Amino acid sequence: MRFNRILTLVKTNLIFATQPAQLQNYRKKQAKNPSKPVNVAMKTLTQQLLFAVMFGALFGIPGAISGRSYPPLQFGTTVFLLMILVSQALPAIYNVFYESKDFESYLPYAFTELEVVLGKSLSIVVATLQGLLPIVMLFGIHVYFSGGFILLTIPIALLGALILSAIVYLLMFLLCFFLAKIPLFRKYQSVIANILVFVISLGAVIGYQLMLTDSMVNTVLTGKMPAFIQPVLAFYNAILDPFDMTVYPMIGLVILAFVAIILLVKFIVLPNFYQAVSQTS
């Protein structure tokens, strides 16, 4: 693989990964000043980094100021919220892999298929950094305040942040594959995608408050953490005490789920991928 070619593919596909409304704003700016090209890739990267810093500050600074990591319940629900933000990759994945209709056009120009897939995938990651980076930041803050042996806690934190995020990306990729087979979605993809982004964004904010409030009540009454944050808490507790063997069965289940999703992509999506792409043409 050649890094410079992959970087070129990332910059190109960021145009498709950027939300249509934002692209329209860039076109208006370009029309006002045709002599000054708009660098869509750099603007998208800058915007995502800005949002990532904002979300990271919103969720990370309170813990840093207090001199401790979040309590388990708040940590789990916050990471879960950020995973919902990562799921905004859905329209970007569809646009980059299906709507762009450019897979075959790359191959005559000495791009390998792996480079094309990697470039497209990285463009989606860049377009959703607002959710991914705060997850990494939260795990990093937790490592810092855990006071554990960093040669163990840092790998556990990285594994947790990346594997949980990767599961969301892969699930959205699977969902796109099945949505691409629905004629109604293909016909009104732009409208449906914008509605999905709005619903996900609004649902993430409202859902976070409801989840946190209800979970606190249930935890107080039953003494048990909600089931939906157990995978997150497994990594949380492993960072606190890497030698606590009781947390690793849940981590093992998360890794098994990750492997299972990869196998689904390999044996269901990839063999039928080009057929699905051709249906959008």
Side-chain angles (χ1 to χ4, degrees), residues 37-133:
V38 176
N39 189 333
V40 175
M42 185 55 65
K43 283 188 172 294
T44 300
L45 176 60
T46 303
Q47 182 186 55
Q48 287 297 315
L49 288 175
L50 177 62
F51 280 120
V53 170
M54 289 173 57
F55 284 126
L58 177 65
F59 296 118
I61 286 180
I65 292 176
S66 64
R68 60 179 176 80
S69 181
Y70 279 135
L73 179 60
Q74 192 173 1
F75 183 89
T77 51
T78 302
V79 172
F80 190 81
L81 165 68
L82 294 170
M83 289 170 66
I84 295 176
L85 287 179
V86 171
S87 69
Q88 288 190 354
L90 176 65
I93 290 172
Y94 183 84
N95 288 334
V96 167
F97 281 97
Y98 294 91
E99 194 65 20
S100 62
K101 306 180 183 70
D102 60 353
F103 251 95
E104 294 182 358
S105 64
Y106 289 118
L107 300 181
Y109 297 98
F111 289 103
T112 67
E113 189 169 328
L114 179 60
E115 288 172 344
V116 174
V117 171
L118 187 57
K120 285 179 173 289
S121 300
L122 288 176
S123 71
I124 293 164
V125 171
V126 171
T128 52
L129 285 176
Q130 60 178 346
L132 176 61
L133 284 184

Side-chain angles (χ1 to χ4, degrees), residues 117 166-167 169-175 177-178 258-273:
V117 171
I167 286 174
Y169 284 120
L170 288 171
L171 286 175
M172 293 303 102
F173 186 71
L174 276 172
L175 181 58
F177 174 74
F178 293 111
F258 176 64
V259 172
I261 297 171
I262 290 178
L263 292 176
L264 285 175
V265 171
K266 180 178 180 180
F267 293 109
I268 294 179
V269 177
L270 295 184
N272 303 289
F273 178 73

Side-chain angles (χ1 to χ4, degrees), residues 3-68:
F3 177 77
N4 59 329
R5 291 184 178 272
I6 294 173
L7 184 60
T8 300
L9 289 168
V10 171
K11 291 179 180 178
T12 302
N13 283 277
L14 270 174
I15 297 174
F16 300 108
T18 304
Q19 294 182 14
Q22 192 61 51
L23 276 179
Q24 188 61 31
N25 290 334
Y26 293 153
R27 291 190 185 100
K28 290 179 181 179
K29 290 181 180 180
Q30 182 72 72
K32 290 180 181 179
N33 192 358
S35 61
K36 186 178 179 181
V38 176
N39 189 333
V40 175
M42 185 55 65
K43 283 188 172 294
T44 300
L45 176 60
T46 303
Q47 182 186 55
Q48 287 297 315
L49 288 175
L50 177 62
F51 280 120
V53 170
M54 289 173 57
F55 284 126
L58 177 65
F59 296 118
I61 286 180
I65 292 176
S66 64
R68 60 179 176 80

Side-chain angles (χ1 to χ4, degrees), residues 16-24 88 90-92 94-95 185 188-202:
F16 300 108
T18 304
Q19 294 182 14
Q22 192 61 51
L23 276 179
Q24 188 61 31
Q88 288 190 354
L90 176 65
Y94 183 84
N95 288 334
F185 181 82
Y188 301 104
Q189 180 271 331
S190 180
V191 175
I192 294 175
N194 286 328
I195 292 174
L196 285 173
V197 169
F198 175 76
V199 170
I200 290 172
S201 302
L202 183 63

Side-chain angles (χ1 to χ4, degrees), residues 130-203:
Q130 60 178 346
L132 176 61
L133 284 184
I135 291 176
V136 177
M137 290 169 66
L138 276 179
F139 273 94
I141 291 172
H142 184 46
V143 167
Y144 179 77
F145 288 116
S146 70
F149 184 47
I150 60 172
L151 292 182
L152 291 177
T153 56
I154 289 178
I156 293 172
L158 286 175
L159 177 66
L162 296 180
I163 202 169
L164 291 170
S165 302
I167 286 174
V168 176
Y169 284 120
L170 288 171
L171 286 175
M172 293 303 102
F173 186 71
L174 276 172
L175 181 58
C176 273
F177 174 74
F178 293 111
L179 286 174
K181 294 180 175 293
I182 303 174
L184 182 65
F185 181 82
R186 295 199 302 269
K187 186 175 181 180
Y188 301 104
Q189 180 271 331
S190 180
V191 175
I192 294 175
N194 286 328
I195 292 174
L196 285 173
V197 169
F198 175 76
V199 170
I200 290 172
S201 302
L202 183 63

